[in-house]
Amino acid sequence: MKETFFIDPQRCIGCRSCVAACRECSTHKGYSMIYVDYIDRGESTATMPTVCMHCTEPTCALVCPADAIKVNEDGVVMSALKPRCLDCRNCVNACPFGVPKYNSEMHLQMKCDMCYDRTSEGLKPMCASVCPTGALSFGTYEQIVPLRRTKPVNAHVFGNQKVETKVYLMLPTDDTEVSIGCGVFEGRVTAQNERESWMEAQVEESNKSNEF
Amino acid sequence: MGKVGKFQEIVDAFGPHLHDEPKGGWSANREIEAIVPTHCPYCAVQCGMNLLVEKGSVVGVEPRYDFPVNEGRLCPKGVTAYLQTHHPDRLHYPLIKRKGMFERATWEEALNLIVSKFKESQEKHGKDSIGVYSGSSLTTEKTYLMGKFARAGLGTRYIDYNGRLCMVSAAAGNNKAFGVDRAANPWSDIPFADVLMIAGANCAETFPVLNKFLWEQRDNGGVWIVIDPRETPTARQGDLHLQLKPGTDVALANGILNVIVNEGLIDEEFIRTRTNDWEATKQIILKYTPEVAAGITGVPAEKIVKAGKVYGRAKTGMILHARGIEHHSHGVNNVLSYINIVLATGKIGSRGRGYGTITGQGNGQGGREHGQKADQLPGQRSMLNPEHRKHICGIWGLPEEELPQAGVSVVEMFDKMREGEIRTLLSLCNNVMVSLPDTNKVRESLESLDFYVHIDFFMSESARYADVVLPGTSWCEDEGVTTNGEGRVLKINKAIEPPAEAKPDWWIIREIAHRMGRGKYFGFQTPRDLFEEIRVTSKGGTADYAGITWERIEKENGVFWPCPCEDKPGTERLFEERFYHPDGRAKFHGFEFAPAAETPDDEYPLIFTSGRIVHQYLSGNQTRRIGFLVKQCPEPYVEIHPDTAARYGITDGERVRVRSRRGSGEFPALVVKTIRPDTIFIPYHWGETQAANQITNPVLDPISKIPEYKACAAQIEKLSGERSVVTQITQSEVVK
């Protein structure tokens, strides 16, 4: 599958229609596999959508002791297989992007699988279909990139770990990779005892536990 | 709660309760029997969507990629709209209030009671003792019917609609400048504008899918100038943000045009050949140097200069605006001042050169075209024009002497209730206890009525005060047309039957008309019959629908009005050749700056403003029941700048009292740098003690009669360190 996600944080308006639409996807009815966070509501209205980045060498799969996370031939990293998932949450803790969540009712790790039930049949994922602004788009590199003035980046550096992803971030820079501590990930350092924004806490409460 | 009676029992019985999953629960094994293409019930983008129907229930939504406006896109309200349809709070039976509580009644019983009370009211107090207050989230067929019902059914002059609270300043401004009330361009023109000036419009949160066109413009190399007191998501994404003091738009628009004039960037040929009254306007504009405008607006002069140069030098450009400039006691002047910029630069009448207002309600455009406005007859004709009155009476078969005179706007209608002139109210799909300014006065108005009938599909804050509540239908249980914000007439399709004994609104009104003995004017059997009547009555009017048929709408993905002939296309772009005034020319209107009706003083030192958020729609009667939406923003809050918060010792999340001369409410503080230090903001979608409209000023624009929601004087008070709690609906009340 040549199509993939292109995430353009500049365009995100924090509406969470992607989150609402993800629940409508037929394979994981009612659960959303995408998250939208305020970057720092006190400073700005900026928000950021997070989907699985579908790493070329996914850390979540590498640390899975039960080989429950499969990467299919299209490069899509799937949710954990139910018969194999051990509830160990290694994947949850290991993912550098903080994507997989543990579903305590189903005893299963679940995460964005690029709407494989839809995309394998030529449809767009629900989240990218509904996104009002194009903060989240789905298509081929050749289709999307010429339309934008932002630059696609799919290399991410986390300390000593460099991760290449199927999903692209669209950035208003000429950087070829995203390093923690620079670019869009550069944020205000928050003291440990500083309280989070009350609204952020209300909206994102469920995301903090890494569980559904 | 006075007349509302057993308040808590009513809330317990009818909600709002949260509901958050399709009928039968979430399932991967649906047996979908029909996919019904239709449009979203909320804002005026009117996104196309496909509804999934299983066993007679709408159980989900699927993107509708073939509709050119949204191409599959939806905001969170659109994605979850289908959850209204089988919501446990739905009204299923007619209700009559007895001893303070609503009791189930039969249709026969309820309709007979209504008709006897209506007749009694008119016999005792005259025909005008009944007021009719209608909505703009209805189909155009229903809005037309409400206008006809008031005039030909009840014979009352008192009818108005809730578009009065939204677009009327734009409508009045458009009529004065252009001679017609409609957006000048289709939204597909937006990507071709080199510059967009977005004034008082937080498109990101209020019309999210319009952003598709805005970002296409950006991708083409275009720039945005955003004018807003708050750094909204729209303003954050803009290239130039003019963060003006609320209520100072005339000065800012004059200042921008002053730069354009002084830089020699006006289009003299356009002004000379296609407009009137420029010289008089120019004399006013010349007084508003960037420094003068900066002193009034608080926007740095260099930013005003930059805005003037960027807009003026651009080859193409458009101005879009919304309630931020319209909700003022000088709303019409604000609109006309921005239109002056459009006309002086000749940026109108071609692709990428134009103007439009962003319409808040789903059918805000269609709802103000066919006669439910206090002063209007079908086809944007005037109640005050003898020829128009004669024309419509001829079609209706109504003796001219029976057609009442023009009435008054809704805020004035509510004044007349307190004064005892209006004794009975029929209200359809609106929620005045949330949407009108000065809520405490609105409550007094409702409590002063002899008899109040409310039609809706959920029990709203206002319906609680009614004597009879009749169950109407949600948007996908009926059919008809709406007109979106660009003037495109669309078809809403029926997906399912109404639940239990709920009835279409048009059926209810027809029944009342027949029982009032006025059946000869209401012989239609279906919404299609009503639409055919609209085609006839609008023919030859400004908003001419004569050439539009339901079949054409489906085939052409909507038809733009005016469309006088079935064999010719509708009019996508206005003003390519001429404007709609008799001489074909547009008109300039120059204004001196005048402050808001109420400005800060020692006692009330802050400017209060209100607005919308992306997760709620208008009065929230529909969206405050959808679990997903409520979870995103459970209650209203007050945005305060950190400097202001520090001055009062307020920290983020702390509860504060916001007070004006009308009333006060307690809200958690959201301390953010995205608002001016002299301004505070509360979203307005909640009612009762959470209503922003306890605070707002009911003073009206003298022309449009729109209230001044966007600027009044207020004070804040820290409340003993109490932290934020979710007060509206707790999770324990979630309906599984």
Side-chain angles (χ1 to χ4, degrees):
Chain A
M1 182 164 60
K2 286 185 176 176
E3 292 90 350
T4 186
F5 285 122
F6 294 81
I7 304 170
D8 194 340
Q10 271 195 114
R11 299 182 182 222
C12 183
I13 55 174
C15 74
R16 297 183 173 85
S17 63
C18 53
V19 182
C22 186
R23 304 191 313 165
E24 299 289 327
C25 194
S26 57
T27 51
H28 50 82
K29 284 280 187 182
Y31 292 110
S32 185
M33 304 293 154
I34 182 169
Y35 315 102
V36 176
D37 299 286
Y38 280 109
I39 305 297
D40 182 346
R41 183 63 186 96
E43 297 284 323
S44 163
T45 54
T47 46
M48 172 75 184
T50 301
V51 293
C52 175
M53 299 297 285
H54 298 282
C55 305
T56 309
E57 289 186 345
T59 309
C60 59
L62 290 173
V63 300
C64 178
D67 198 20
I69 302 170
K70 296 295 183 188
V71 182
N72 71 21
E73 59 191 15
D74 291 316
V76 175
V77 182
M78 309 300 282
S79 282
L81 296 167
K82 194 165 186 182
R84 292 193 177 197
C85 183
L86 301 174
D87 307 4
C88 73
R89 310 183 200 191
N90 271 4
C91 54
V92 173
N93 295 322
C95 172
F97 297 101
V99 167
K101 305 289 181 200
Y102 177 73
N103 187 321
S104 52
E105 285 178 12
M106 297 168 73
H107 297 284
L108 181 68
Q109 175 260 51
M110 293 175 76
K111 65 162 197 60
C112 157
D113 60 3
M114 211 176 262
C115 260
Y116 199 66
D117 59 327
R118 296 173 65 85
T119 52
S120 59
E121 293 182 6
L123 291 170
K124 286 183 179 180
M126 289 294 278
C127 58
S129 291
V130 300
C131 179
T133 62
L136 198 56
S137 305
F138 187 78
T140 65
Y141 191 96
E142 292 75 19
Q143 286 170 336
I144 304 290
V145 174
L147 297 176
R148 301 288 177 90
R149 299 170 83 80
T150 42
K151 302 289 187 299
V153 176
N154 71 335
H156 312 263
V157 180
F158 299 91
N160 294 327
Q161 184 185 16
K162 184 168 182 176
V163 180
E164 192 173 298
T165 58
K166 180 176 171 70
V167 174
Y168 288 89
L169 274 180
M170 304 295 281
L171 301 179
T173 68
D174 288 324
D175 291 346
T176 55
E177 61 186 26
V178 175
S179 298
I180 290 299
C182 70
V184 292
F185 292 106
E186 184 174 334
R188 188 164 61 92
V189 176
T190 307
Q192 276 197 332
N193 59 354
E194 191 172 333
R195 207 173 46 76
E196 290 177 314
S197 159
W198 67 276
M199 174 171 266
E200 201 167 6
Q202 283 180 326
V203 170
E204 305 302 338
E205 193 177 6
S206 61
N207 294 347
K208 298 291 183 271
S209 64
N210 283 336
E211 289 184 6
F212 288 107
Chain B
M1 288 295 170
K3 196 180 175 183
V4 79
K6 298 177 180 172
F7 178 83
Q8 194 55 49
E9 285 178 41
I10 292 173
V11 174
D12 289 345
F14 300 103
H17 299 100
L18 298 192
H19 177 67
D20 207 21
E21 56 183 35
K23 188 174 183 182
W26 299 101
S27 168
N29 300 310
R30 291 282 183 209
E31 291 177 12
I32 301 302
E33 63 207 30
I35 298 173
V36 180
T38 189
H39 296 272
C40 180
Y42 299 121
C43 87
V45 180
Q46 289 288 280
C47 294
M49 59 167 63
N50 284 318
L51 297 176
L52 307 180
V53 180
E54 179 187 58
K55 296 174 189 165
S57 297
V58 179
V59 293
V61 65
E62 178 70 23
R64 181 178 161 193
Y65 299 107
D66 67 326
F67 185 64
V69 174
N70 64 310
E71 295 174 316
R73 294 166 180 82
L74 292 170
C75 82
K77 297 188 289 290
V79 172
T80 56
Y82 76 92
L83 292 169
Q84 294 176 10
T85 58
H86 61 280
H87 197 293
D89 284 348
R90 283 291 300 272
L91 298 173
H92 286 168
Y93 310 99
L95 299 164
I96 296 175
K97 194 184 272 172
R98 294 189 179 101
K99 295 178 184 170
M101 185 58 191
F102 288 107
E103 293 178 8
R104 179 175 171 176
T106 64
W107 275 103
E108 197 64 19
E109 197 178 0
L111 291 169
N112 285 343
L113 176 63
I114 291 165
V115 170
S116 69
K117 290 285 187 182
F118 279 9
K119 284 182 175 171
E120 183 185 326
S121 184
Q122 291 194 319
E123 281 162 15
K124 278 189 187 171
H125 308 291
K127 290 202 167 183
D128 291 340
S129 67
I130 302 180
V132 178
Y133 183 45
S134 188
S136 270
S137 296
L138 307 164
T139 60
T140 302
E141 287 83 351
K142 292 184 203 173
T143 67
Y144 167 82
L145 173 62
M146 292 307 286
K148 185 174 180 182
F149 173 71
R151 277 78 177 239
L154 297 175
T156 178
R157 67 189 299 186
Y158 291 128
I159 174 168
D160 206 36
Y161 77 125
N162 64 10
R164 179 71 62 187
L165 313 175
C166 297
M167 289 78 61
V168 284
S169 285
N174 291 355
N175 275 323
K176 281 179 172 291
F178 306 130
V180 65
D181 166 23
R182 207 209 86 179
N185 303 65
W187 289 326
S188 55
D189 273 7
I190 292 173
F192 299 95
D194 292 340
V195 57
L196 292 178
M197 190 179 290
I198 303 170
N202 178 11
C203 306
E205 293 203 74
T206 54
F207 321 96
V209 174
L210 188 73
N211 285 265
K212 168 198 155 189
F213 299 101
L214 301 182
W215 277 101
E216 279 177 31
Q217 183 260 4
R218 202 70 173 274
D219 289 332
N220 289 344
V223 297
W224 301 358
I225 301 166
V226 183
I227 297 166
D228 201 302
R230 300 161 62 221
E231 189 192 304
T232 63
T234 308
R236 170 175 57 81
Q237 294 168 333
D239 300 275
L240 180 61
H241 178 201
L242 310 184
Q243 197 166 8
L244 84 173
K245 195 181 290 186
T248 61
D249 283 280
V250 165
L252 184 61
N254 285 357
I256 292 170
L257 188 47
N258 178 289
V259 174
I260 290 170
V261 172
N262 284 322
E263 292 286 322
L265 299 172
I266 59 171
D267 185 338
E268 290 179 358
E269 169 74 6
F270 183 90
I271 292 171
R272 187 172 52 78
T273 58
R274 299 199 56 188
T275 69
N276 290 322
D277 302 339
W278 166 240
E279 279 308 318
T281 300
K282 185 179 169 186
Q283 295 313 310
I284 296 171
I285 297 300
L286 289 176
K287 299 180 200 170
Y288 288 82
T289 62
E291 291 71 27
V292 169
I296 298 169
T297 63
V299 178
E302 56 270 28
K303 282 197 171 186
I304 297 173
V305 171
K306 196 169 182 183
K309 286 182 178 177
V310 168
Y311 185 85
R313 287 175 182 169
K315 191 176 174 188
T316 57
M318 293 176 74
I319 293 183
L320 303 172
H321 61 73
R323 306 302 86 70
I325 72 163
E326 298 159 22
H327 274 163
H328 291 279
S329 56
H330 305 293
V332 178
N333 297 5
N334 291 345
V335 168
L336 286 165
S337 297
Y338 284 101
I339 290 176
N340 287 342
I341 301 175
V342 172
L343 294 175
T345 55
K347 287 190 175 66
I348 194 161
S350 61
R351 194 172 73 168
R353 298 157 75 89
Y355 161 87
T357 184
I358 304 295
T359 319
Q361 292 202 65
N363 195 24
Q365 179 68 49
R368 68 179 194 264
E369 291 171 357
H370 298 296
Q372 64 169 346
K373 274 173 89 170
D375 58 351
Q376 191 199 58
L377 288 166
Q380 284 194 356
R381 291 184 173 90
S382 171
M383 286 288 284
L384 308 173
N385 183 320
E387 288 301 313
H388 291 181
R389 292 171 65 89
K390 187 176 177 184
H391 178 79
I392 295 299
C393 282
I395 295 172
W396 284 351
L398 182 73
E400 267 185 78
E401 61 276 14
E402 286 191 29
L403 183 67
Q405 295 303 313
V408 297
S409 72
V410 60
V411 172
E412 294 166 312
M413 273 176 62
F414 274 70
D415 291 341
K416 288 187 181 298
M417 291 175 205
R418 289 195 302 279
E419 293 159 6
E421 189 173 339
I422 295 176
R423 315 289 294 246
T424 295
L425 178 67
L426 171 66
S427 176
L428 174 62
C429 292
N430 55 64
N431 192 6
V432 291
M433 279 297 293
V434 179
S435 58
L436 285 185
D438 198 354
T439 317
N440 294 318
K441 280 278 195 303
V442 177
R443 182 183 292 112
E444 284 177 33
S445 300
L446 294 178
E447 289 182 341
S448 67
L449 290 167
D450 293 338
F451 189 65
Y452 170 22
V453 182
H454 195 99
I455 306 170
D456 212 327
F457 56 90
F458 287 126
M459 180 71 72
S460 65
E461 281 78 359
S462 308
R464 291 171 191 164
Y465 289 80
D467 296 288
V468 177
V469 176
L470 300 177
T473 42
S474 78
W475 98 108
C476 59
E477 294 154 5
D478 199 0
E479 63 180 343
V481 305
T482 60
T483 304
N484 77 355
E486 56 182 347
R488 185 194 298 255
V489 183
L490 306 163
K491 176 77 195 323
I492 305 293
N493 289 319
K494 180 176 176 177
I496 54 173
E497 292 299 323
E501 292 182 18
K503 297 284 188 188
D505 306 320
W506 58 263
W507 182 93
I508 299 169
I509 298 299
R510 187 188 66 183
E511 282 300 303
I512 297 173
H514 278 260
R515 287 163 194 253
M516 292 290 290
R518 307 293 283 180
K520 65 178 173 179
Y521 301 113
F522 301 91
F524 61 91
Q525 298 297 316
T526 63
R528 183 187 280 269
D529 296 342
L530 276 169
F531 186 75
E532 293 304 318
E533 199 172 308
I534 290 170
R535 293 180 65 199
V536 174
T537 50
S538 70
K539 187 176 175 61
T542 309
D544 193 334
Y545 279 44
I548 303 175
T549 65
W550 280 9
E551 287 71 24
R552 271 191 79 176
I553 294 171
E554 298 279 22
K555 191 177 165 191
E556 299 173 29
N557 261 330
V559 180
F560 286 80
W561 72 258
C563 181
C565 308
E566 275 191 63
D567 56 356
K568 289 188 179 161
T571 313
E572 283 199 11
R573 188 181 302 111
L574 304 178
F575 317 141
E576 289 181 306
E577 305 290 331
R578 66 191 306 278
F579 292 95
Y580 277 59
H581 289 302
D583 63 359
R585 296 162 79 96
K587 283 184 186 170
F588 282 96
H589 297 78
F591 299 101
E592 300 282 1
F593 165 73
E598 193 179 72
T599 51
D601 53 28
D602 289 346
E603 194 180 356
Y604 295 94
L606 297 168
I607 307 171
F608 172 76
T609 192
S610 65
R612 298 167 70 166
I613 57 166
V614 68
H615 298 107
Q616 303 291 338
Y617 177 68
L618 300 187
S619 81
N621 194 33
Q622 297 167 77
T623 48
R624 280 185 282 115
R625 298 169 199 269
I626 307 295
F628 178 85
L629 299 175
V630 172
K631 186 183 169 193
Q632 309 308 317
C633 189
E635 64 174 335
Y637 50 83
V638 53
E639 285 184 11
I640 306 173
H641 190 276
D643 293 350
T644 313
R647 207 162 69 234
Y648 290 90
I650 295 165
T651 57
D652 190 49
E654 211 165 4
R655 292 190 80 79
V656 298
R657 179 171 292 116
V658 180
R659 190 194 307 272
S660 74
R661 290 184 174 86
R662 271 72 52 194
S664 69
E666 295 176 14
F667 305 90
L670 185 65
V671 179
V672 288
K673 290 182 179 172
T674 52
I675 191 164
R676 287 175 60 91
D678 58 6
T679 303
I680 55 175
F681 166 90
I682 298 175
Y684 66 61
H685 309 281
W686 287 264
E688 302 290 357
T689 58
Q690 295 183 310
N693 277 325
Q694 296 170 103
I695 296 154
T696 45
N697 191 351
V699 65
L700 304 179
D701 179 288
I703 298 165
S704 67
K705 305 295 177 72
I706 204 168
E708 187 149 61
Y709 291 109
K710 291 293 188 280
C712 72
Q715 56 174 237
I716 52 174
E717 178 190 351
K718 177 184 164 82
L719 288 174
S720 65
E722 191 184 341
R723 309 306 307 180
S724 168
V725 288
V726 178
T727 55
Q728 189 192 16
I729 302 168
T730 62
Q731 286 300 306
S732 63
E733 291 173 293
V734 171
V735 177
K736 291 289 184 188

